[in-house]
């Protein structure tokens, strides 16, 4: 299968071309209007003239080579077209026709036949049930909906699991002056998948950023592989992944026939892979446009230059939301700005140069130049935008913007230009940008700061990921006889056998043995019911805490035996006090595999639901990062005189638990330590539970 040949044909046949179809009319018009240099052949079973051009009655009648067949015939006739084309050596197809897997059981059967035939004959098929693609970089536009002018060529590759939204995304990109390299409407992905197209874009020299609209991630392992390739190549992936709500999940399943995975796991996986997740189509395009223009951003310390005090306050609030810093300007910067900004202005970050810019057209540029020299600033946010209306004499406007563009280009730190609100870039504004080199403008403070924050986080994550090799997953056979639920006495023993820190315990099968164990540990002690398949012991009265002597131990033993039938015995453990209780769990996600959850443990895990997720494998560095993401992370740092946790020690144990879970093989369903007690550098599992598939 060659995706490169699919997107770069030298000749195209429109199969099923007819004057009665808007799809057919639009596809041919797009090819003619946007510079496709090769021949476009029309195929209609009746022959004659279609769209003012002579039509062939079949692919066989075409007297020259065809590289791509764009198929618009009825559903039942699609396979016949593929059979005819395969005999003629046509290897690439776009199938516009719907009525396949998205339409029910019979459609799914037909789609399976198409996929099998394609595999058997080495065919590359985009669709079915898709609009086609727009290869703007090469001027190849076999796309079934009208392409509004102008088609802006640029560095953003767009891949969408939606046909209806494709034109809206394209229109918004044009409105914000974001040029595309390739836009693809995937359809049902019977052969060519999203990951195939991402792989093509990673290697495509015309593409610097990849923007995705995803209803589902069908093959997480393959997606992870190409996302890692994109990260290594320095090509950011920005993704709008839907399916967070139950309704959206149901809608996506009905629309694509694909299952939508658990959103929390997907969110964690995307973060680990360096994929920027956004929440709107506007943010998808604006963030991709910014990254295509700026590339990686070097840090979180931002200097802001704006002609508006109100905008400064909005920016300060939103910067904090995005985790961005607005540090004070250095003394030398303040002194230089004091000579530039009017006396009624205030020199601080964010910098409001005041409305005096309407009188002194050089004020904003000179202030920008001063801030770019500040040693404590990583990047600049400049509030500006291209002009909207052309004046009678545009020369002064062009000169002003050319001067600004020069200052921005010569800045020692990146300058990101953001407009006040989200409006269209007009035809004159595009002209100004094209002729002066004025950079990309992120639309609106809200979207612009979100894009800056996303770009900074992507830059940091890329550095983290590439600084250490990806850990290799492990897979071996589970322990002999592993099945069902292993309660604490078996689960903890397995953890201890792997060298993981587990609280000492003894299994007592009568009162005297329990008392003897308590005397060896020293009171106070804890007694816990030990029984096969028993998960939450406290829910059934199977736990007694703080037992201070032999009689209390005997009484607790009797109570547990009475409360829990079919006991294997009672676990006796020394009572641990103080410290912070964490949960460390590994659960098998049906799509992404083993997934690590760390959070506040004990009863807090159910009350606060404060957890951070990672898809395995993870190392200690990633585990430490996960711990810092918790809302309760401050507890680990020590509060009100409590001893701070040794985060490196905790992260090391968490990573070892994760690696051990992987070593248990495909038979593991879940492994949970709750709580994992952390007191300074002492880290110890107090309870554990393992469930086998």
């Amino acid at each position: 299968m060659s995706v490169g040949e699919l997107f770069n044909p030298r000749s195209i046949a429109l199969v099923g071309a007819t004057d009665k179809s808007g799809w057919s009319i639009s596809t041919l018009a797009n090819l003619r209007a946007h510079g496709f240099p090769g021949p476009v052949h029309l195929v209609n079973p009746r022959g004659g003239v279609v769209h003012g051009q002579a039509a062939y009655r079949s692919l066989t009648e075409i007297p020259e080579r065809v590289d791509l067949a764009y198929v618009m015939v009825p559903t039942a006739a699609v396979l016949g077209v593929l059979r005819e084309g395969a005999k003629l050596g046509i290897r690439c197809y776009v199938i516009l026709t719907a009525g396949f897997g998205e339409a029910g059981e019979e459609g799914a059967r037909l789609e399976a036949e198409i996929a099998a035939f394609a595999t058997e004959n080495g065919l590359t098929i985009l669709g079915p049930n898709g609009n086609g693609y727009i290869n703007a970089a090469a001027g190849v536009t076999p796309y079934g909906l009208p392409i509004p002018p102008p088609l802006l060529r640029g560095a953003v590759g767009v891949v969408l699991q939606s046909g209806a939204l494709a034109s809206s995304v394209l229109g918004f990109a044009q409105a914000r002056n974001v040029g595309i390299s390739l836009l693809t409407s995937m359809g049902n992905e019977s052969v060519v998948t999203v990951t195939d197209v991402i792989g093509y874009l990673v290697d495509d020299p015309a593409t610097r950023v990849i923007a995705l609209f995803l209803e589902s991630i069908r093959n997480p392992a393959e997606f992870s592989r190409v996302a890692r390739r994109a990260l290594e190549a320095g090509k950011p992936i920005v993704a709008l992944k839907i399916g967070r709500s139950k309704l959206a999940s149901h809608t996506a399943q009905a629309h694509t026939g694909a299952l939508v995975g658990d959103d929390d796991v997907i969110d964690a996986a995307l973060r680990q892979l360096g994929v920027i997740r956004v929440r709107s189509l506007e943010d998808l395009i604006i963030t991709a446009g910014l990254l295509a223009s700026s590339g990686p951003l070097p840090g979180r310390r931002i200097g802001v230059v704006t002609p508006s005090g109100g905008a400064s306050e909005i920016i300060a609030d939103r910067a904090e939301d995005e985790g961005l810093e607005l540090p004070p300007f250095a003394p030398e910067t303040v002194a230089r700005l004091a000579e530039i900004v009017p006396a009624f202005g205030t020199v601080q970050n964010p910098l409001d140069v005041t409305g005096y810019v309407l009188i002194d057209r050089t004020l904003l540029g000179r202030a920008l130049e001063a801030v770019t020299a500040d040693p404590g600033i990583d990047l600049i946010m400049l509030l500006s935008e291209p002009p909207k209306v052309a004046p009678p004499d545009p020369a002064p406007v062009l000169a002003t913007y050319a001067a600004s563009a020069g200052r921005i280009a010569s800045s020692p730190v990146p300058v990101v230009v953001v407009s006040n609100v989200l409006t269209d870039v007009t035809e004159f504004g595009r002209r100004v940008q094209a002729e002066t080199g004025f950079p990309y403008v992120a639309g609106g403070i809200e979207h612009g700061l979100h894009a800056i924050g996303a770009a900074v986080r992507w830059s940091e994550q890329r550095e983290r990921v590439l600084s250490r090799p990806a850990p290799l997953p492990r897979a071996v056979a589970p322990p002999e006889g592993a099945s069902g639920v292993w309660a604490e006495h078996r689960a903890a023993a397995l953890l201890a056998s792997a060298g993981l820190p587990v609280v000492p315990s003894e299994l007592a099968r009568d009162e005297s043995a329990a008392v003897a164990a308590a005397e060896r540990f020293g009171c106070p002690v804890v007694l816990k019911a030990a029984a096969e398949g028993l998960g939450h012991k406290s829910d059934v009265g199977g736990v007694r805490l703080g037992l201070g002597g032999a009689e209390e131990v005997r009484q607790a033993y009797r109570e547990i035996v009475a409360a829990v039938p079919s006991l294997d015995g009672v676990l006796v453990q020394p009572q641990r006090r103080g410290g912070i209780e964490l949960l460390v769990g590994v659960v098998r996600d049906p799509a992404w595999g083993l997934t690590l959850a760390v959070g506040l443990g004990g009863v807090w895990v159910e009350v606060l639901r404060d957890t951070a997720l990672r898809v395995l494998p993870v190392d200690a560095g990633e585990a430490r990062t996960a711990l810092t993401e918790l809302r309760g992370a401050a507890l680990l740092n020590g509060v009100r005189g409590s001893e701070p946790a040794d985060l490196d020690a905790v992260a090391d144990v968490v990573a070892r638990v994760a690696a051990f879970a992987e070593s248990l093989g495909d038979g593991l369903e879940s492994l949970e330590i709750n709580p994992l007690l952390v007191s300074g550098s002492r880290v110890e599992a107090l309870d554990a539970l393992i469930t086998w598939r």
Side-chain angles (χ1 to χ4, degrees), residues 596 598 614 618-628 650-652 654-655:
L596 170 72
V598 294
R614 292 295 187 276
V618 299
D619 60 14
E622 192 66 40
R624 196 183 198 283
T625 301
L627 290 167
T628 63
V650 180
D652 177 68
V654 171

Side-chain angles (χ1 to χ4, degrees), residues 380-549:
I380 309 295
M381 176 179 171
L382 172 65
L383 218 61
S384 181
E385 59 187 302
K388 296 188 178 301
V389 180
D393 179 11
V397 173
L398 291 169
T400 298
Y401 276 87
S404 295
R407 286 192 177 96
I408 292 170
S410 62
S411 169
V413 295
V415 177
V416 177
V417 185
V418 179
S419 61
N420 277 304
V421 294
L422 180 58
T423 56
D424 292 356
V425 178
T426 65
E427 183 177 350
F428 180 64
R430 283 197 296 271
R431 175 191 166 188
V432 168
Q433 287 187 281
E435 293 185 13
T436 66
F438 194 77
Y440 168 77
V441 178
I445 295 172
E446 169 70 24
H447 298 291
L449 272 167
H450 181 76
I452 293 172
V456 168
R457 290 188 291 273
W458 174 82
S459 303
E460 293 173 345
Q461 180 67 358
R462 180 172 187 259
E463 186 173 337
R464 280 196 298 268
V465 171
L466 298 186
S467 66
R468 55 182 185 260
L472 297 175
R474 307 177 183 184
V476 298
E480 184 177 351
S483 64
V485 177
W486 280 18
E488 180 181 359
H489 62 296
R490 295 185 71 185
L494 184 62
L495 292 172
S497 71
L500 293 166
V502 178
V503 65
S505 64
E506 289 189 25
L507 182 63
R509 300 187 186 278
D510 57 44
E511 293 179 25
S512 298
V515 171
E519 290 174 349
R520 282 190 289 274
F521 288 133
C523 291
V525 294
V526 177
L527 264 60
K528 301 177 182 177
E532 287 297 330
L534 180 61
H536 300 289
K537 298 178 287 293
S538 58
D539 292 348
V540 294
V543 178
R544 295 293 185 274
L545 305 174
L547 305 176

Side-chain angles (χ1 to χ4, degrees), residues 1 71 143 381 470 654:
M1 182 174 69
V71 182
Y143 183 73
M381 176 179 171
V654 171

